[in-house]
Amino acid sequence: ALVARWHDAGADYLALGPVRLDHDSRWLRSLPAILAATGNLFASAEVADTGGLIDSRRCAEVATLIKEASHIADNGFGNLYLTALANCPPGSPFFPVAYHESGAGPAFALALEAADLAVAAFEQAASLQEARQNLVAAIGTYAQELQESAEDLAQSYGVPFSGIDFSLAPFPDQSRSLAAAMEALGLDFTGAPGSLFAAAFITEAIDRARFRRCGFSGLMLPVLEDSVLAQRASEGHVSVNDLLGLAAVCGVGLDTIPLPGDISEEVLTGILLDVAALATRLRKPLTARLMPLPGLSAGDPVRFEFPYFAASAVMNVASAGVTGLLARGETINLRSLDERREYNAA
Protein backbone atom coordinates (compact mmCIF):
# COMPACT_ATOMS: atom_id res chain seq x y z
CA ALA A 1 0.00 0.00 0.00
CA LEU A 2 2.87 2.38 0.82
CA VAL A 3 4.55 1.72 -2.54
CA ALA A 4 1.23 2.14 -4.34
CA ARG A 5 0.66 5.54 -2.72
CA TRP A 6 4.10 6.75 -3.73
CA HIS A 7 3.56 5.40 -7.24
CA ASP A 8 0.29 7.31 -7.49
CA ALA A 9 2.21 10.43 -6.42
CA GLY A 10 4.58 10.01 -9.38
CA ALA A 11 7.49 7.99 -7.92
CA ASP A 12 8.40 5.01 -10.12
CA TYR A 13 10.80 3.50 -7.57
CA LEU A 14 11.47 3.74 -3.84
CA ALA A 15 14.52 2.86 -1.75
CA LEU A 16 13.86 1.26 1.63
CA GLY A 17 17.32 2.13 2.96
CA PRO A 18 19.93 -0.14 4.52
CA VAL A 19 19.90 -2.75 7.23
CA ARG A 20 22.93 -1.34 9.03
CA LEU A 21 25.52 -3.26 11.03
CA ASP A 22 23.96 -2.03 14.26
CA HIS A 23 20.50 -3.28 13.23
CA ASP A 24 19.14 -6.68 14.21
CA SER A 25 20.03 -9.12 11.43
CA ARG A 26 16.48 -10.47 11.56
CA TRP A 27 15.61 -7.52 9.33
CA LEU A 28 17.69 -9.17 6.61
CA ARG A 29 15.50 -12.25 6.63
CA SER A 30 12.43 -10.14 5.91
CA LEU A 31 13.88 -8.54 2.77
CA PRO A 32 13.19 -11.32 0.21
CA ALA A 33 9.47 -11.24 1.03
CA ILE A 34 9.44 -7.43 0.90
CA LEU A 35 11.23 -7.36 -2.45
CA ALA A 36 8.98 -10.09 -3.85
CA ALA A 37 5.87 -8.10 -2.96
CA THR A 38 6.63 -5.30 -5.42
CA GLY A 39 8.86 -4.54 -8.37
CA ASN A 40 9.28 -0.91 -7.33
CA LEU A 41 11.22 -1.15 -4.06
CA PHE A 42 14.99 -1.24 -3.52
CA ALA A 43 16.80 -2.29 -0.35
CA SER A 44 20.38 -2.59 0.91
CA ALA A 45 22.46 -4.07 3.70
CA GLU A 46 25.73 -2.89 5.23
CA VAL A 47 28.71 -5.22 5.35
CA ALA A 48 31.08 -2.43 6.46
CA ASP A 49 30.08 0.81 8.16
CA THR A 50 31.50 4.31 7.72
CA GLY A 51 33.69 3.97 10.82
CA GLY A 52 36.00 1.24 9.54
CA LEU A 53 34.12 -1.75 10.97
CA ILE A 54 33.74 -4.87 8.82
CA ASP A 55 31.46 -7.71 9.90
CA SER A 56 32.35 -11.05 8.32
CA ARG A 57 29.23 -12.63 9.84
CA ARG A 58 27.11 -9.99 8.13
CA CYS A 59 28.93 -10.72 4.86
CA ALA A 60 27.86 -14.36 5.20
CA GLU A 61 24.30 -13.34 6.09
CA VAL A 62 24.08 -11.04 3.07
CA ALA A 63 25.48 -13.84 0.89
CA THR A 64 22.58 -16.01 2.06
CA LEU A 65 20.20 -13.14 1.33
CA ILE A 66 21.57 -12.76 -2.22
CA LYS A 67 21.02 -16.48 -2.87
CA GLU A 68 17.46 -16.24 -1.56
CA ALA A 69 16.72 -13.11 -3.60
CA SER A 70 17.96 -14.85 -6.75
CA HIS A 71 14.87 -17.07 -6.54
CA ILE A 72 12.33 -14.25 -6.20
CA ALA A 73 11.95 -14.49 -9.99
CA ASP A 74 12.82 -17.50 -12.15
CA ASN A 75 15.42 -15.50 -14.07
CA GLY A 76 17.28 -14.20 -11.00
CA PHE A 77 16.10 -10.62 -11.54
CA GLY A 78 15.30 -10.07 -7.84
CA ASN A 79 18.86 -9.02 -6.99
CA LEU A 80 18.48 -5.96 -9.20
CA TYR A 81 16.71 -4.42 -6.20
CA LEU A 82 19.27 -5.40 -3.57
CA THR A 83 22.83 -4.30 -2.88
CA ALA A 84 25.48 -4.64 -0.18
CA LEU A 85 26.96 -1.39 1.14
CA ALA A 86 30.50 -0.74 2.35
CA ASN A 87 31.40 2.66 3.82
CA CYS A 88 28.35 4.30 2.21
CA PRO A 89 27.10 7.38 4.08
CA PRO A 90 23.58 8.74 3.56
CA GLY A 91 22.84 11.17 0.77
CA SER A 92 23.67 9.28 -2.42
CA PRO A 93 20.81 9.57 -4.93
CA PHE A 94 21.67 6.41 -6.90
CA PHE A 95 19.55 3.31 -6.28
CA PRO A 96 19.86 0.84 -4.62
CA VAL A 97 22.34 2.60 -2.30
CA ALA A 98 20.15 5.67 -1.76
CA TYR A 99 19.06 6.48 1.77
CA HIS A 100 18.45 9.61 3.82
CA GLU A 101 20.09 10.61 7.08
CA SER A 102 17.97 9.54 10.02
CA GLY A 103 16.17 12.46 11.64
CA ALA A 104 17.11 14.94 8.93
CA GLY A 105 14.49 16.98 7.12
CA PRO A 106 13.52 16.35 3.50
CA ALA A 107 16.08 17.08 0.79
CA PHE A 108 16.73 16.08 -2.81
CA ALA A 109 19.74 15.27 -4.96
CA LEU A 110 20.37 14.38 -8.60
CA ALA A 111 21.83 11.16 -10.01
CA LEU A 112 22.87 11.50 -13.65
CA GLU A 113 23.06 9.16 -16.61
CA ALA A 114 25.79 10.98 -18.53
CA ALA A 115 28.33 8.52 -19.90
CA ASP A 116 27.80 10.07 -23.34
CA LEU A 117 29.70 13.16 -22.15
CA ALA A 118 32.87 11.07 -21.75
CA VAL A 119 32.41 9.28 -25.09
CA ALA A 120 32.01 12.58 -26.95
CA ALA A 121 34.82 14.30 -25.02
CA PHE A 122 37.35 11.61 -25.90
CA GLU A 123 36.33 11.00 -29.51
CA GLN A 124 36.91 14.70 -30.26
CA ALA A 125 40.33 14.90 -28.55
CA ALA A 126 43.84 14.83 -30.01
CA SER A 127 45.62 14.33 -26.66
CA LEU A 128 44.96 13.20 -23.11
CA GLN A 129 45.14 16.79 -21.95
CA GLU A 130 42.48 17.79 -24.46
CA ALA A 131 40.35 14.77 -23.58
CA ARG A 132 40.41 15.76 -19.92
CA GLN A 133 39.71 19.41 -20.66
CA ASN A 134 36.75 18.42 -22.84
CA LEU A 135 35.23 16.22 -20.14
CA VAL A 136 35.81 18.68 -17.29
CA ALA A 137 34.26 21.48 -19.36
CA ALA A 138 31.24 19.36 -20.35
CA ILE A 139 30.56 18.30 -16.78
CA GLY A 140 30.92 21.87 -15.55
CA THR A 141 28.52 23.23 -18.18
CA TYR A 142 25.77 20.69 -17.53
CA ALA A 143 26.28 20.76 -13.77
CA GLN A 144 25.85 24.54 -13.70
CA GLU A 145 22.57 24.33 -15.62
CA LEU A 146 21.27 21.54 -13.39
CA GLN A 147 22.32 23.30 -10.20
CA GLU A 148 20.53 26.48 -11.19
CA SER A 149 17.34 24.56 -11.92
CA ALA A 150 17.66 22.53 -8.72
CA GLU A 151 18.23 25.63 -6.61
CA ASP A 152 15.14 27.26 -8.14
CA LEU A 153 13.12 24.18 -7.18
CA ALA A 154 14.62 24.19 -3.68
CA GLN A 155 13.64 27.83 -3.27
CA SER A 156 10.14 27.31 -4.64
CA TYR A 157 9.30 24.28 -2.51
CA GLY A 158 11.42 24.92 0.56
CA VAL A 159 13.26 21.60 0.21
CA PRO A 160 17.09 21.81 0.33
CA PHE A 161 19.13 20.69 -2.68
CA SER A 162 22.03 18.51 -1.48
CA GLY A 163 24.00 18.06 -4.69
CA ILE A 164 24.70 16.06 -7.83
CA ASP A 165 26.17 12.57 -8.13
CA PHE A 166 27.93 12.99 -11.47
CA SER A 167 29.02 9.36 -11.80
CA LEU A 168 28.49 9.29 -15.59
CA ALA A 169 26.18 6.27 -15.30
CA PRO A 170 25.87 4.34 -18.59
CA PHE A 171 22.90 3.17 -20.64
CA PRO A 172 23.08 0.02 -22.80
CA ASP A 173 24.09 1.49 -26.14
CA GLN A 174 27.58 2.32 -27.37
CA SER A 175 27.13 6.10 -27.38
CA ARG A 176 26.39 5.97 -23.63
CA SER A 177 28.94 3.34 -22.56
CA LEU A 178 31.73 4.12 -20.12
CA ALA A 179 33.65 1.11 -21.42
CA ALA A 180 33.39 2.68 -24.88
CA ALA A 181 34.74 5.92 -23.43
CA MET A 182 37.67 4.06 -21.88
CA GLU A 183 38.41 2.34 -25.17
CA ALA A 184 38.21 5.67 -27.01
CA LEU A 185 41.30 6.66 -25.03
CA GLY A 186 43.22 3.87 -26.78
CA LEU A 187 42.57 0.61 -24.95
CA ASP A 188 42.61 -2.58 -26.99
CA PHE A 189 39.56 -3.55 -24.96
CA THR A 190 38.26 -2.81 -21.47
CA GLY A 191 40.14 -5.18 -19.18
CA ALA A 192 43.36 -4.93 -21.20
CA PRO A 193 46.53 -3.37 -19.74
CA GLY A 194 45.93 0.35 -19.38
CA SER A 195 42.36 -0.08 -18.13
CA LEU A 196 43.28 0.97 -14.61
CA PHE A 197 44.82 4.17 -15.92
CA ALA A 198 41.76 4.88 -18.09
CA ALA A 199 39.42 4.43 -15.13
CA ALA A 200 41.56 6.66 -12.92
CA PHE A 201 41.84 9.27 -15.68
CA ILE A 202 38.07 9.60 -16.06
CA THR A 203 37.45 9.69 -12.31
CA GLU A 204 40.12 12.35 -11.80
CA ALA A 205 38.48 14.47 -14.48
CA ILE A 206 35.20 14.28 -12.56
CA ASP A 207 37.15 15.36 -9.46
CA ARG A 208 38.42 18.44 -11.33
CA ALA A 209 34.97 19.61 -12.37
CA ARG A 210 33.30 22.20 -10.16
CA PHE A 211 29.82 21.38 -8.91
CA ARG A 212 28.02 20.67 -5.67
CA ARG A 213 28.76 16.98 -5.34
CA CYS A 214 27.27 14.16 -3.35
CA GLY A 215 27.26 10.37 -3.42
CA PHE A 216 29.93 8.56 -5.44
CA SER A 217 30.69 11.12 -8.18
CA GLY A 218 33.02 8.57 -9.71
CA LEU A 219 33.15 6.06 -12.55
CA MET A 220 30.22 3.63 -12.68
CA LEU A 221 30.82 0.26 -14.38
CA PRO A 222 27.66 -1.86 -14.04
CA VAL A 223 28.22 -4.88 -16.30
CA LEU A 224 24.66 -5.43 -17.47
CA GLU A 225 23.89 -1.71 -17.87
CA ASP A 226 26.83 -0.96 -20.17
CA SER A 227 26.63 -2.58 -23.63
CA VAL A 228 30.39 -2.54 -24.33
CA LEU A 229 31.32 -3.72 -20.83
CA ALA A 230 28.67 -6.46 -21.06
CA GLN A 231 30.24 -7.59 -24.33
CA ARG A 232 33.77 -7.57 -22.89
CA ALA A 233 32.56 -9.65 -19.94
CA SER A 234 30.95 -12.14 -22.31
CA GLU A 235 34.23 -12.34 -24.24
CA GLY A 236 36.10 -13.17 -21.03
CA HIS A 237 38.12 -9.94 -21.08
CA VAL A 238 36.75 -8.64 -17.76
CA SER A 239 36.59 -10.63 -14.52
CA VAL A 240 35.11 -9.86 -11.12
CA ASN A 241 38.62 -9.27 -9.79
CA ASP A 242 39.33 -6.88 -12.69
CA LEU A 243 36.28 -4.85 -11.71
CA LEU A 244 37.40 -4.81 -8.08
CA GLY A 245 40.77 -3.48 -9.20
CA LEU A 246 39.11 -0.71 -11.20
CA ALA A 247 36.95 0.16 -8.19
CA ALA A 248 40.14 1.03 -6.30
CA VAL A 249 40.68 4.06 -8.54
CA CYS A 250 37.16 4.97 -9.56
CA GLY A 251 33.83 4.35 -7.89
CA VAL A 252 30.75 2.32 -6.98
CA GLY A 253 32.27 -1.19 -6.80
CA LEU A 254 30.62 -4.28 -8.29
CA ASP A 255 27.30 -3.63 -9.98
CA THR A 256 24.85 -5.88 -11.86
CA ILE A 257 27.33 -8.75 -12.01
CA PRO A 258 25.84 -11.88 -13.69
CA LEU A 259 27.01 -14.94 -11.75
CA PRO A 260 26.39 -18.71 -11.92
CA GLY A 261 23.14 -19.75 -10.31
CA ASP A 262 24.89 -22.37 -8.19
CA ILE A 263 27.58 -20.02 -6.86
CA SER A 264 28.11 -20.85 -3.21
CA GLU A 265 27.39 -18.59 -0.29
CA GLU A 266 31.05 -19.00 0.68
CA VAL A 267 32.18 -17.50 -2.63
CA LEU A 268 29.70 -14.63 -2.32
CA THR A 269 30.96 -14.04 1.22
CA GLY A 270 34.52 -13.74 -0.07
CA ILE A 271 33.49 -11.23 -2.72
CA LEU A 272 31.69 -9.13 -0.11
CA LEU A 273 34.72 -9.25 2.19
CA ASP A 274 36.89 -7.96 -0.67
CA VAL A 275 34.52 -5.07 -1.38
CA ALA A 276 34.36 -4.24 2.34
CA ALA A 277 38.15 -4.27 2.66
CA LEU A 278 38.67 -2.05 -0.37
CA ALA A 279 36.06 0.46 0.79
CA THR A 280 37.44 0.55 4.32
CA ARG A 281 41.14 0.81 3.52
CA LEU A 282 40.57 3.49 0.86
CA ARG A 283 37.77 5.23 2.79
CA LYS A 284 35.54 5.32 -0.26
CA PRO A 285 31.93 4.19 -0.70
CA LEU A 286 31.52 0.92 -2.58
CA THR A 287 28.63 -1.42 -3.25
CA ALA A 288 28.12 -4.97 -4.48
CA ARG A 289 25.03 -5.82 -6.52
CA LEU A 290 25.60 -9.47 -7.34
CA MET A 291 23.16 -11.44 -9.49
CA PRO A 292 23.31 -15.27 -9.33
CA LEU A 293 21.14 -16.50 -12.22
CA PRO A 294 19.35 -19.80 -11.46
CA GLY A 295 19.98 -22.55 -14.00
CA LEU A 296 22.86 -20.75 -15.68
CA SER A 297 26.58 -21.57 -15.55
CA ALA A 298 29.73 -19.60 -16.31
CA GLY A 299 29.81 -18.62 -19.98
CA ASP A 300 26.08 -19.08 -20.58
CA PRO A 301 24.45 -16.19 -22.48
CA VAL A 302 22.45 -13.68 -20.44
CA ARG A 303 19.58 -11.68 -21.88
CA PHE A 304 16.81 -9.91 -19.97
CA GLU A 305 13.69 -8.33 -21.43
CA PHE A 306 14.56 -5.13 -19.60
CA PRO A 307 15.44 -1.89 -21.45
CA TYR A 308 18.24 -0.97 -19.04
CA PHE A 309 20.19 -4.25 -19.47
CA ALA A 310 22.46 -5.36 -22.31
CA ALA A 311 23.11 -8.92 -23.43
CA SER A 312 26.14 -10.53 -21.80
CA ALA A 313 27.28 -13.86 -20.34
CA VAL A 314 27.57 -15.35 -16.88
CA MET A 315 30.90 -14.42 -15.33
CA ASN A 316 33.08 -17.09 -13.79
CA VAL A 317 34.47 -16.93 -10.25
CA ALA A 318 37.12 -19.62 -9.83
CA SER A 319 36.96 -20.32 -6.09
CA ALA A 320 35.50 -22.73 -3.58
CA GLY A 321 34.84 -19.83 -1.21
CA VAL A 322 36.17 -18.70 2.14
CA THR A 323 36.78 -21.10 5.02
CA GLY A 324 38.73 -21.09 8.28
CA LEU A 325 39.22 -17.79 10.07
CA LEU A 326 37.50 -15.83 7.30
CA ALA A 327 34.34 -17.86 7.83
CA ARG A 328 34.23 -17.63 11.64
CA GLY A 329 31.97 -14.61 11.74
CA GLU A 330 33.68 -11.69 13.48
CA THR A 331 33.66 -7.91 13.49
CA ILE A 332 37.03 -6.30 12.90
CA ASN A 333 38.19 -2.73 12.45
CA LEU A 334 40.60 -1.94 9.62
CA ARG A 335 42.59 1.28 9.59
CA SER A 336 42.34 3.27 6.40
CA LEU A 337 45.54 4.12 4.54
CA ASP A 338 45.23 7.70 5.78
CA GLU A 339 44.90 6.52 9.38
CA ARG A 340 47.96 4.31 8.96
CA ARG A 341 50.04 7.25 7.80
CA GLU A 342 48.79 9.37 10.71
CA TYR A 343 49.59 6.56 13.16
CA ASN A 344 53.11 6.08 11.78
CA ALA A 345 53.77 9.82 11.83
CA ALA A 346 52.83 9.99 15.50
Side-chain angles (χ1 to χ4, degrees):
L2 174 64
V3 174
R5 288 199 297 271
W6 275 103
H7 191 266
D8 291 342
D12 292 331
Y13 296 99
L14 299 176
L16 185 62
V19 178
R20 298 198 318 246
L21 291 190
D22 57 358
H23 289 161
D24 192 318
S25 64
R26 285 179 294 182
W27 284 105
L28 292 175
R29 295 193 284 275
S30 68
L31 289 182
I34 293 173
L35 295 176
T38 173
N40 306 89
L41 189 65
F42 289 81
S44 56
E46 272 191 337
V47 294
D49 66 15
T50 57
L53 191 67
I54 296 174
D55 190 336
S56 61
R57 178 178 288 104
R58 176 59 62 85
C59 288
E61 291 170 336
V62 173
T64 299
L65 175 62
I66 291 169
K67 289 285 286 187
E68 291 177 1
S70 72
H71 295 284
I72 290 174
D74 292 340
N75 60 1
F77 198 67
N79 274 303
L80 173 69
Y81 302 101
L82 175 69
T83 194
L85 308 186
N87 190 40
C88 292
S92 172
F94 272 106
F95 283 20
V97 66
Y99 71 102
H100 196 51
E101 185 174 2
S102 177
F108 73 99
L110 302 178
L112 301 186
E113 180 188 287
D116 55 318
L117 296 184
V119 176
F122 299 161
E123 287 179 344
Q124 298 165 7
S127 67
L128 287 175
Q129 291 283 3
E130 185 180 354
R132 181 164 62 189
Q133 290 168 3
N134 289 347
L135 182 53
V136 172
I139 292 173
T141 297
Y142 283 98
Q144 181 63 34
E145 294 176 1
L146 289 166
Q147 283 180 183
E148 290 176 359
S149 297
E151 287 163 358
D152 287 344
L153 287 170
Q155 183 70 27
S156 297
Y157 291 93
V159 178
F161 168 57
S162 56
I164 301 174
D165 189 336
F166 226 119
S167 286
L168 304 179
F171 183 84
D173 65 53
Q174 186 160 347
S175 66
R176 290 180 280 180
S177 161
L178 277 172
M182 292 169 66
E183 292 177 11
L185 292 172
L187 292 179
D188 187 18
F189 51 82
T190 303
S195 296
L196 195 67
F197 174 87
F201 178 82
I202 297 173
T203 307
E204 195 262 0
I206 300 170
D207 292 342
R208 285 174 180 253
R210 299 183 64 181
F211 60 94
R212 186 186 302 178
R213 64 188 64 226
C214 66
F216 300 101
S217 289
L219 181 65
M220 191 171 284
L221 293 170
V223 172
L224 292 178
E225 296 178 8
D226 186 307
S227 59
V228 175
L229 184 60
Q231 182 179 345
R232 299 297 176 252
S234 70
E235 294 165 348
H237 291 315
V238 178
S239 69
V240 173
N241 279 344
D242 290 332
L243 293 170
L244 272 171
L246 296 178
V249 298
C250 55
V252 183
L254 301 177
D255 199 14
T256 62
I257 308 294
L259 295 171
D262 63 355
I263 191 170
S264 72
E265 293 176 18
E266 290 77 13
V267 174
L268 292 171
T269 300
I271 295 172
L272 295 175
L273 283 169
D274 284 347
V275 172
L278 197 60
T280 302
R281 287 287 280 169
L282 298 180
R283 280 293 187 263
K284 62 183 300 180
L286 293 177
T287 67
R289 185 159 45 163
L290 309 176
M291 301 185 69
L293 304 178
L296 297 185
S297 301
D300 285 346
V302 174
R303 184 179 294 275
F304 288 94
E305 296 301 321
F306 182 58
Y308 300 102
F309 274 6
S312 188
V314 177
M315 300 178 72
N316 184 44
V317 182
S319 170
V322 296
T323 60
L325 298 181
L326 291 177
R328 282 177 58 88
E330 300 178 60
T331 57
I332 188 165
N333 191 281
L334 293 186
R335 292 181 185 271
S336 71
L337 293 177
D338 287 341
E339 287 176 319
R340 183 194 67 177
R341 284 189 284 268
E342 292 170 3
Y343 180 79
N344 289 340

